[in-house]
């Protein structure tokens, strides 16, 4: 959009002052000698006036320079019409008109605050971009319709890495309520404009105030680069028939829209957007909304692609892409067009068909569940080769990294298909929780991420009910995983204050995603499905196209409860869970009081922490919805709900005798651990060994996870969890095995470099071997993908093979080597897809360098993204340190390994006992390079730091980590402090518990 000129006749301040001065020094005619004295006095006065003016001017210059140094250093140039030209240009510096006040607001320098002032808010953006894919630059003009909220002379918005060219401000003439009520307005004179890079802000200072409730238009033209990093408007590439092709795509969440255009880049400043893209016509462009039209080609022969106006949304959900992709499409019964865009070869092979199919079903599911229609006429799914995250839920244009949306059913495992399914389910949920209703500020980011993560399991159950994800897989993959992190003293509340842009990254972690999901699941179980749905429906309808905070959600859920006569204060209950870090361990024991009969139990709660010396001093308390049941050898009684509010309480439960046992947190719906007295643990272990089916699958998995983690934290003797899993040879369900394997791999990290490791690995194989031989290996030829196969059976089979090969079962090793040898000799891969990862890794670790080179070659020649991921991970399994070092160097210094996979390579080398020291050394040596490349991308740095350091277990490694933290800690935020606590815990476990652990394993009767 063109820039508006100011009204004619505007007087520049310098000219006005000159006229006034000229009038005061009129030339007089020669007089008589008696007038000479008077003339001398006049000349003296004139000289004094000149001197005074020079002094005043000098002082003004000094003060102006100092002011601009405080304000960010940049200064605009105002043309004679009031339009402001390039930053840093020449021309007169403009001071206020004579008698005009400077204003307290400018003196207060609102751009120095971390948040935008809110005096003006955007209503609509007209954004025109010209994209040059030949030299990876773009230029743009944005015209922002503003509503003045409070009188102000300063407009502050965000801009980062943009070269601002021209700026103008005009008054629209209407009011906020009647935008087109009358003509009028005109250009506002700009005093100066400049960037403030410290807060990634741009400042426009006006001569006169904007008036409340009036509309204005801010116009900015700018230039920028299409970056090679993964944020803002960035470029990527892929190969098609030997030709390298480029694309450009946006990633604006959380604070990177400001890298692509000047904007009010905070979630609360919602507005509508009209986007126009001009580019080489050989490319296709996409955005949130459908294409509304094309303008005739300009002088460069490029037409402008105009997209329809968006609904009100936050800047970080705006998106566009310029690419050579093709697509396939489908349509919902309600008329929503769904397209999947990807590389032409991926589309033609059908790799996107699965995601397209489930997206259509999911839109219907969410509309039925939330009772709120999808808001846009289309939804595009864009598969890109390079992206910092698994996916991004831009409204109407969701972007996925190829590995999380393209599926080749001939080579994909059931695990890969499950992960892909859940990513799609997550992003589609965001079209409601995030896009339609957006958190007010980043402290409540869990309101969208927690819901999307919870509905990954609910939505997947809708697609594949037999997978039973919410009641089973949720426990191991969400609840158990996040409790490991949230049991650290370096954890944080799920809702935490965020002030500066640099603080935003730390709220995007598994606490927000997984703890958020676990708390929502706990709340849904307390409320019941129908009331939970009713509350969510009211919440979405009340805040659609707007913003909401956690109290808004609590209020709607409480209203739903009251509508059925249930007076639970949801806000009062949930504040304890969201505003406090961590979670409790609830200890249940039979009452020892002689005054109470045997049907009473004592329940206590305390903050669970892996370092108990810290937990003992904690004063945290929660409102705990504890479900309890009494069981015996043949049955489990009905559950009772107990609200535990105090440190210790006594409650009446069903009558018990010496042979009955207690079970808490039925089906693990609560976000807490449960401990018992040792007698009750003994009874539970006996029950598992005699008839484990009396206890539900979910609770069997929960008992395993609680027992191992309570022992690690020192609440239980080390032998209790080992004795408990002695029943596993009888276990036919995947979930308890998965819980056990996760716990055993945690111990494996602690023990795999110890002299007595064989005691541990033999014990694991003792539990695994019989069930492993019973389940066997899958058939060579896949019998169809997971849609038709038995998910539980396939996953259990894969879990047992992985345990057997990892802990040294000879038959498992022979089978893996046979598969690899057959592949090499026949050049035909007959390895069943569901176990390829295990076979590849085992073969590389046991066989020679030629096998490594073979896998490396297959990694480069494969076009299936799921297969490439498995092959790359397999390369990290080698026992040859030279090959591992070669892989590390190739991954970081060449284009042979995709940029988003480099971190996984380093982490997997660190998981390999032979590569642990190598990865740790490499990480420290290359930290500056890694931090520069991935430091701004959410998750990546914390993932790398945690993945490399969690295997460090010795005093020497702890000292090395402390030294590294001291020298480099500023660049990594909380990730290094968390890593330090984990390694300190590893060292502490060796000091306090390792001896007792191996003593139990040496007992001949450890069964």
């Amino acid at each position: 959009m063109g820039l508006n000129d100011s009204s004619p006749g505007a007087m520049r301040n310098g000219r006005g002052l000159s006229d006034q001065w000229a009038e005061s020094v009129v030339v007089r005619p020669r007089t008589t000698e008696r007038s000479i004295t008077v003339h001398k006095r006049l000349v003296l006065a004139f000289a004094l006036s000149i001197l005074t003016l020079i002094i005043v001017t000098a002082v003004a210059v000094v003060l102006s320079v100092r002011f601009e140094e405080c304000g960010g250093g940049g200064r605009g140039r105002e043309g004679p019409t009031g339009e402001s030209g390039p930053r840093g240009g020449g021309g007169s510096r403009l001071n206020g008109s004579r008698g005009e006040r400077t204003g307290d607001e400018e003196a207060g320098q609102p751009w120095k605050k971390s948040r935008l002032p809110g005096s003006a808010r955007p209503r609509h953006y007209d954004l025109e971009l010209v994209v040059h894919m030949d030299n990876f630059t773009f230029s743009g003009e944005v015209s922002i319709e503003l509503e003045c909220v409070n009188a102000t002379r300063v407009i502050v918005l965000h801009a980062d890495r943009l070269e601002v060219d021209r700026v103008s401000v005009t008054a629209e003439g209407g009011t906020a309520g009647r935008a087109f009520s009358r003509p009028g307005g005109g250009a506002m004179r700009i005093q100066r404009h400049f960037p403030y890079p410290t807060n990634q802000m741009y400042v426009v200072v006006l001569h006169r105030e904007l008036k409340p409730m009036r509309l204005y238009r801010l116009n900015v033209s700018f230039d920028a680069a299409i970056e090679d990093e993964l944020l803002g408007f960035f470029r990527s590439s892929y190969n098609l028939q030997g030709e390298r092709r480029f694309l450009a795509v946006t990633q604006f969440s959380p604070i990177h829209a400001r890298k692509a255009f000047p904007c009010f880049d905070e979630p609360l400043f919602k507005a509508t957007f009209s986007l126009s893209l001009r580019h080489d016509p050989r490319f296709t462009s996409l955005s949130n909304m459908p294409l509304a039209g094309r303008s005739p080609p300009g002088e460069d022969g490029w037409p402008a692609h105009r997209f329809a106006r968006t609904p009100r949304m936050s800047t970080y959900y705006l998106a566009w892409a310029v690419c050579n992709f093709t697509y396939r499409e489908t349509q919902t019964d309600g008329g929503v067009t769904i397209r999947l865009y990807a590389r032409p070869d991926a589309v033609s092979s059908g790799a996107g068909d699965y995601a397209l199919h489930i997206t259509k079903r999911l839109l219907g599911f969410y509309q039925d569940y939330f009772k709120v229609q999808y808001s846009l006429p289309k939804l595009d799914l864009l598969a890109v080769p390079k992206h910092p995250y698994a996916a991004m839920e831009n409204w109407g244009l969701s972007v996925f990294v190829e590995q999380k949306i393209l599926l080749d059913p001939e080579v994909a495992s059931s695990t890969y298909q499950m992960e892909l399914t859940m990513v799609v389910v997550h992003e589609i949920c965001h079209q409601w929780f995030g896009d339609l209703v957006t958190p007010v500020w980043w402290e409540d980011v869990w309101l969208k991420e927690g819901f999307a993560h919870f509905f990954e399991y609910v939505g997947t159950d809708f697609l594949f009910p037999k997978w039973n994800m919410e009641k089973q897989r949720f426990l191991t993959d969400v609840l158990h995983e996040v409790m490991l992190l949230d049991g650290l003293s370096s954890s944080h509340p799920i809702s935490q204050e965020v002030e500066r842009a640099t603080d935003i990254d730390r709220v995007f972690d598994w606490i927000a995603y997984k703890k958020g999901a676990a708390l929502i699941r706990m709340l849904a179980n307390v409320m019941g499905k129908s009331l939970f749905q009713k509350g969510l429906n009211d919440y979405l309808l009340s805040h659609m196209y707007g913003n909401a905070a956690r109290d808004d959600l609590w209020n709607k859920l409480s209203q739903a409860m009251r509508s059925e006569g249930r007076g639970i204060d949801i806000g009062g209950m949930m504040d304890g869970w969201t505003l406090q870090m961590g979670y409790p361990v609830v200890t249940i024991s039979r009452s020892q009081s002689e005054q109470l009969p045997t049907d009473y139990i004592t329940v206590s709660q305390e903050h669970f922490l892996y370092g108990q010396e810290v937990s003992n001093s904690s004063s945290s308390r929660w409102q705990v919805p504890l479900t309890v049941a009494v069981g015996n050898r043949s049955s489990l009684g009905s559950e009772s709900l107990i609200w535990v509010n105090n440190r210790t309480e006594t409650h009446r439960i069903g009558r018990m005798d010496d042979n009955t046992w207690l079970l808490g947190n039925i089906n693990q719906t609560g976000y807490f651990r449960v401990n018992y007295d040792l007698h009750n643990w003994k009874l539970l272990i006996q029950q598992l060994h005699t008839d484990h089916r009396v206890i539900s699958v979910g609770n069997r998995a929960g008992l395993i996870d609680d027992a191992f983690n309570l022992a690690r934290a020192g609440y239980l003797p080390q032998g209790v969890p080992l004795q408990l899993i002695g029943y596993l040879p009888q276990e036919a369900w995947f979930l308890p095995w998965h819980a056990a394997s996760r716990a055993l791999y945690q111990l494996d990290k602690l023990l795999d470099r110890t002299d007595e490791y064989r005691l541990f690995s033999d014990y694991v194989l003792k539990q695994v071997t019989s069930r492993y031989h019973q389940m066997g290996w899958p058939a060579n030829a896949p019998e169809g993908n997971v849609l038709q196969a038995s998910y539980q059976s396939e996953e259990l089979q894969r879990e047992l093979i992985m345990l057997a090969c990892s802990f040294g079962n000879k038959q498992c090793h022979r089978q893996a080597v046979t598969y690899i040898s057959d592949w090499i000799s026949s050049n035909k891969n007959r390895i069943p897809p569901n176990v390829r990862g295990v076979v590849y890794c085992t073969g590389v670790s046991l066989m020679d360098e030629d096998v490594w080179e073979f896998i490396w070659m297959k990694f480069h020649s494969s076009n299936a993204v799921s297969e490439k991921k498995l092959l790359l991970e397999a390369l990290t399994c080698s026992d040859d340190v030279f090959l591992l070092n070669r892989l590390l160097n190739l991954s970081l210094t060449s284009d042979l390994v995709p940029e988003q996979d480099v971190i996984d390579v380093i982490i997997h080398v660190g998981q390999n006992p032979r590569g642990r020291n190598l990865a740790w050394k490499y990480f420290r040596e290359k930290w500056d390079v890694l931090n520069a490349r991935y430091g701004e991308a959410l998750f990546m740095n914390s993932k790398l730091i945690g993945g490399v350091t969690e295997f460090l277990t010795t005093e020497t490694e702890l000292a090395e980590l402390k030294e590294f933290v001291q020298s480099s800690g500023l660049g990594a935020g909380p990730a290094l402090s968390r890593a330090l606590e984990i390694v300190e815990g590893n060292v502490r476990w060796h000091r306090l518990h390792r001896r007792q652990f191996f003593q139990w394993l040496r007992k001949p009767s450890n069964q």
Side-chain angles (χ1 to χ4, degrees):
M1 181 165 290
L3 300 174
N4 295 306
D5 293 334
S6 62
S7 57
M11 182 181 293
R12 294 185 64 183
N13 294 13
R15 177 62 186 273
L17 287 172
S18 299
D19 292 342
Q20 291 175 353
W21 177 246
E23 292 171 3
S24 68
V25 289
V26 178
V27 178
R28 297 178 182 273
R30 186 181 293 273
T31 62
T32 62
E33 290 186 7
R34 285 195 300 180
S35 302
I36 291 175
T37 304
V38 176
H39 281 285
K40 287 180 178 178
R41 290 173 179 171
L42 286 172
V43 170
L44 180 61
F46 178 78
L48 288 172
S49 299
I50 292 293
L51 181 62
T52 302
L53 182 60
I54 291 171
I55 293 170
V56 169
T57 302
V59 171
V61 169
V62 171
L63 291 176
S64 177
V65 169
R66 288 184 178 177
F67 178 81
E68 289 179 17
E69 287 174 350
C70 294
R75 178 172 69 248
R77 181 183 70 199
E78 184 179 350
T81 63
E83 186 179 85
S84 204
R87 294 184 292 107
S92 302
R93 182 182 62 257
L94 304 174
N95 300 315
S97 300
R98 190 178 185 188
E100 182 182 9
R101 64 184 176 85
T102 303
D104 293 336
E105 185 179 23
E106 187 181 359
Q109 300 178 346
W111 54 88
K112 284 197 165 184
K113 297 179 180 178
S114 58
R115 299 279 297 274
L116 294 176
S119 300
R121 65 185 180 199
R123 289 163 54 97
H124 178 72
Y125 293 79
D126 285 301
L127 179 59
E128 298 181 353
L129 299 175
V130 182
V131 181
H132 301 275
M133 293 297 291
D134 55 344
N135 62 3
F136 304 117
T137 62
F138 68 102
S139 58
E141 294 183 359
V142 64
S143 180
I144 310 174
E145 183 183 82
L146 300 174
E147 176 187 349
C148 179
V149 179
N150 300 308
T152 181
R153 288 180 50 237
V154 181
I155 301 173
V156 183
L157 68 166
H158 288 109
D160 184 27
R161 306 184 194 179
L162 304 176
E163 286 296 323
V164 173
D165 182 31
R166 305 186 72 81
V167 179
S168 68
V169 180
T170 58
E172 290 287 86
T175 63
R178 302 174 64 190
F180 304 101
S181 58
R182 58 185 174 84
M188 304 285 291
R189 291 169 58 208
I190 296 174
Q191 179 171 307
R192 64 200 194 97
H193 61 97
F194 57 89
Y196 187 65
T198 301
N199 286 335
Q200 300 175 348
M201 291 179 180
Y202 203 86
V203 184
V204 180
V205 182
L206 303 169
H207 273 280
R208 58 187 175 89
E209 288 184 336
L210 306 179
K211 298 185 182 301
M213 299 298 293
R214 296 287 298 274
L215 298 181
Y216 299 86
R217 189 165 288 274
L218 169 65
N219 305 293
V220 185
S221 61
F222 57 94
D223 300 284
I226 303 174
E227 301 284 359
D228 192 25
E229 59 186 41
L230 304 178
L231 302 169
F233 187 25
F234 69 92
R235 66 182 185 267
S236 181
S237 67
Y238 60 97
N239 290 312
L240 185 66
Q241 298 176 345
E243 176 191 357
R244 190 181 187 189
R245 294 191 176 186
F246 287 92
L247 66 145
V249 66
T250 57
Q251 171 54 42
F252 289 162
S253 177
I255 53 169
H256 303 294
R258 63 193 70 176
K259 288 182 170 68
F261 66 106
C263 56
F264 294 75
D265 201 13
E266 292 180 4
L268 193 60
F269 290 100
K270 284 195 167 186
T272 54
F273 296 82
S274 295
L275 175 67
S276 173
L277 290 173
R278 278 182 54 218
H279 53 76
D280 188 320
R282 291 176 297 177
F283 289 87
T284 299
S285 53
L286 306 171
S287 188
N288 306 78
M289 298 296 287
L291 191 65
R294 291 183 176 89
S295 66
E299 294 181 0
D300 53 12
W302 296 358
H305 301 75
R306 293 180 290 102
F307 294 92
R309 187 183 183 119
T310 71
R312 286 185 74 242
M313 64 183 190
S314 300
T315 49
Y316 71 91
Y317 283 132
L318 183 65
W320 62 81
V322 178
C323 59
N324 289 119
F325 286 174
T326 55
Y327 67 87
R328 287 189 180 176
E329 74 173 35
T330 187
Q331 198 168 55
T332 68
D333 294 339
V336 177
T337 299
I338 307 169
R339 288 178 174 176
L340 185 135
Y341 286 85
R343 292 178 282 111
D345 53 337
V347 171
S348 62
S349 72
D353 293 354
Y354 173 72
L356 197 63
H357 167 74
I358 64 172
T359 297
K360 178 180 178 179
R361 295 184 62 198
L362 286 167
L363 281 181
F365 164 73
Y366 283 125
Q367 288 178 149
D368 290 342
Y369 193 102
F370 298 139
K371 309 299 182 189
V372 177
Q373 293 298 299
Y374 176 70
S375 303
L376 304 187
K378 63 96 172 175
L379 174 58
D380 293 335
L381 313 176
L382 178 64
V384 297
K386 186 170 71 172
H387 198 267
Y389 317 122
M392 177 61 205
E393 69 272 11
N394 309 306
W395 211 354
L397 177 58
S398 291
V399 181
F400 298 76
V401 71
E402 288 181 341
Q403 293 176 357
K404 299 300 181 182
I405 196 168
L406 300 182
L407 178 76
D408 184 344
E410 296 298 319
V411 299
S413 66
S414 60
T415 300
Y416 180 85
Q417 187 166 3
M418 181 194 74
E419 290 174 356
L420 184 152
T421 301
M422 296 176 76
V423 171
V424 176
V425 175
H426 180 109
E427 301 310 319
I428 305 306
C429 178
H430 272 314
Q431 305 295 308
W432 283 264
F433 281 89
D435 297 355
L436 183 65
V437 180
T438 310
V440 170
W441 185 238
W442 301 109
E443 63 191 9
D444 281 332
V445 71
W446 70 272
L447 277 180
K448 70 185 188 78
E449 298 301 347
F451 269 100
H453 203 54
F454 170 65
F455 275 100
E456 283 181 33
Y457 295 83
V458 178
T460 303
D461 275 344
F462 163 76
L463 295 171
F464 306 110
K466 291 183 179 179
W467 290 10
N468 207 9
M469 299 293 288
E470 188 267 324
K471 287 185 170 59
Q472 293 194 19
R473 196 65 185 253
F474 186 96
L475 304 184
T476 53
D477 295 7
V478 179
L479 184 66
H480 298 172
E481 184 168 331
V482 75
M483 280 182 158
L484 287 171
L485 288 177
D486 209 19
L488 301 171
S489 60
S490 56
S491 184
H492 60 80
I494 195 171
S495 292
Q496 54 179 330
E497 290 187 8
V498 175
E499 291 298 329
R500 307 189 66 84
T502 52
D503 295 333
I504 293 173
D505 286 1
R506 62 184 171 86
V507 303
F508 280 88
D509 62 5
W510 286 137
I511 299 296
Y513 283 67
K514 293 182 180 290
K515 183 175 181 177
L519 294 182
I520 290 163
R521 178 175 177 265
M522 178 173 72
L523 182 56
N525 276 277
V526 168
M527 294 182 66
K529 181 180 177 180
S530 61
L531 289 181
F532 182 65
Q533 284 185 258
K534 175 179 172 59
L536 295 187
N537 171 253
D538 289 346
Y539 170 78
L540 291 170
L541 289 176
S542 298
H543 300 286
M544 60 195 307
Y545 305 110
N547 300 81
R550 60 181 177 273
D551 285 344
D552 298 313
L553 176 64
W554 304 152
N555 289 338
K556 292 302 179 183
L557 295 178
S558 293
Q559 288 176 19
M561 294 288 279
R562 287 195 295 270
S563 70
E564 296 291 328
R566 298 173 62 187
I568 297 177
D569 177 10
I570 299 294
M573 167 196 165
M574 294 303 295
D575 278 350
W577 295 96
T578 60
L579 301 181
Q580 294 182 119
M581 63 171 268
Y583 56 88
V585 52
V586 176
T587 301
I588 308 172
S589 58
R590 302 167 191 248
S591 177
Q592 301 298 314
S593 173
E594 295 181 358
Q595 286 77 32
L596 293 173
T598 57
D599 53 353
Y600 278 81
I601 59 171
T602 300
V603 182
S604 62
Q605 63 163 300
E606 65 174 285
H607 188 178
F608 176 88
L609 285 167
Y610 286 101
Q612 278 200 79
E613 62 275 9
V614 183
S615 68
N616 290 336
S617 62
S618 173
S619 59
S620 301
R621 278 191 299 172
W622 292 263
Q623 292 186 37
V624 181
L626 174 65
T627 49
V628 184
V630 177
N632 56 39
R633 292 179 180 178
S634 58
S635 65
L636 181 67
S638 58
E639 64 184 75
S640 302
L641 174 63
I642 297 171
W643 284 96
V644 183
N645 300 310
N646 301 305
R647 182 77 63 192
T648 302
E649 299 180 0
T650 301
H651 291 273
R652 188 172 185 175
I653 200 72
R655 182 167 292 277
M656 296 172 286
D657 57 38
D658 291 340
N659 294 316
T660 55
W661 38 263
L662 295 161
L663 185 66
N665 197 13
I666 305 303
N667 295 320
Q668 286 219 293
T669 56
Y671 185 70
F672 48 87
R673 297 199 184 280
V674 180
N675 195 10
Y676 308 94
D677 58 75
L678 286 178
H679 178 67
N680 199 78
W681 275 113
K682 181 180 178 181
L683 292 173
L684 286 169
I685 291 170
Q686 288 176 353
Q687 185 65 54
L688 290 173
H689 281 262
T690 54
D691 186 1
H692 60 274
R693 292 169 298 180
V694 171
I695 300 173
S696 71
V697 172
N699 273 119
R700 298 202 297 269
L703 285 170
I704 292 169
D705 185 71
D706 278 346
F708 273 102
N709 284 280
L710 289 166
R712 178 161 184 172
Y715 289 89
L716 283 178
Q718 298 303 304
V720 169
L722 294 171
Q723 189 176 6
L724 188 150
I725 63 169
Y727 93 95
L728 282 176
Q730 308 166 45
E731 180 61 74
W733 282 79
F734 163 72
L735 190 71
W737 274 106
H738 191 49
S741 70
R742 290 172 60 88
L744 293 169
Y745 286 129
Q746 288 287 330
L747 284 169
D748 188 62
K749 290 186 294 189
L750 289 171
L751 301 170
D752 63 3
R753 293 182 292 173
T754 63
D755 295 335
E756 298 174 294
Y757 175 72
R758 186 67 180 269
L759 277 172
F760 172 65
S761 62
D762 284 349
Y763 183 75
V764 174
L765 288 177
K766 187 176 182 180
Q767 315 311 317
V768 171
T769 301
S770 62
R771 182 62 64 175
Y772 160 71
H773 286 300
Q774 182 179 347
M775 294 293 295
W777 284 69
N780 287 357
E783 300 173 358
N785 63 29
V786 72
L787 295 177
Q788 289 79 39
S790 168
Y791 166 79
Q792 293 286 344
S793 176
E794 281 199 359
E795 287 296 279
L796 176 57
Q797 185 181 56
R798 176 179 172 274
E799 193 81 55
L800 291 166
I801 291 170
M802 189 162 56
L803 283 166
C805 278
S806 297
F807 285 95
N809 181 281
K810 298 302 182 185
Q811 193 277 336
C812 189
H813 286 179
R814 285 194 297 270
Q815 182 65 62
V817 169
T818 300
Y819 272 130
I820 295 290
S821 300
D822 175 69
W823 185 16
I824 293 172
S825 62
S826 67
N827 201 28
K828 184 174 182 180
N829 191 342
R830 287 185 272 259
I831 306 169
N834 217 39
V835 295
R836 283 187 179 182
V838 183
V839 171
Y840 293 169
C841 183
T842 304
V844 167
S845 69
L846 295 175
M847 301 172 79
D848 59 19
E849 184 177 345
D850 289 342
V851 173
W852 193 94
E853 295 289 355
F854 176 81
I855 297 292
W856 176 251
M857 178 190 68
K858 291 297 183 182
F859 166 70
H860 288 292
S861 62
S862 175
N863 292 320
V865 291
S866 61
E867 185 75 353
K868 289 181 77 74
K869 181 175 184 291
L870 293 178
L871 291 165
L872 184 60
E873 289 179 3
L875 292 167
T876 69
C877 298
S878 175
D879 282 355
D880 189 328
V881 175
F882 171 79
L883 292 175
L884 295 176
N885 192 50
R886 175 183 164 193
L887 180 62
L888 287 173
N889 288 318
L890 285 171
S891 67
L892 195 59
T893 60
S894 72
D895 295 329
L896 297 176
V897 175
E899 190 171 347
Q900 68 265 22
D901 293 333
V902 172
I903 285 177
D904 288 329
V905 169
I906 300 172
I907 291 173
H908 281 92
V909 171
Q911 289 176 349
N912 182 344
R914 295 294 180 91
R916 192 158 305 165
N917 293 334
L918 182 65
W920 173 224
K921 180 182 178 183
Y922 188 83
F923 165 78
R924 286 174 289 163
E925 291 176 348
K926 303 296 183 182
W927 167 249
D928 290 339
V929 176
L930 293 164
N931 193 41
R933 181 182 293 188
Y934 302 109
E936 279 196 275
L938 304 177
F939 287 116
M940 284 199 169
N941 252 5
S942 59
K943 177 183 177 182
L944 173 62
I945 292 166
V948 170
T949 59
E950 66 177 330
F951 301 94
L952 306 179
T953 59
T954 68
E955 294 278 4
T956 300
E957 290 166 337
L958 176 59
E960 291 171 347
L961 177 58
K962 287 180 176 179
E963 181 182 348
F964 178 74
V965 170
Q966 289 177 351
S967 61
S968 309
L970 293 179
L976 278 177
S977 60
R978 181 166 59 245
L980 188 60
E981 184 181 357
I982 290 172
V983 177
E984 286 174 339
N986 293 344
V987 173
R988 183 173 57 248
W989 186 89
H990 275 276
R991 186 178 68 250
L992 298 179
H993 306 304
R994 174 179 160 184
R995 183 180 177 185
Q996 183 190 74
F997 182 87
F998 281 117
Q999 280 179 342
W1000 190 91
L1001 287 175
R1002 288 192 198 94
K1003 290 181 180 178
S1005 58
N1006 55 27
Q1007 278 291 90

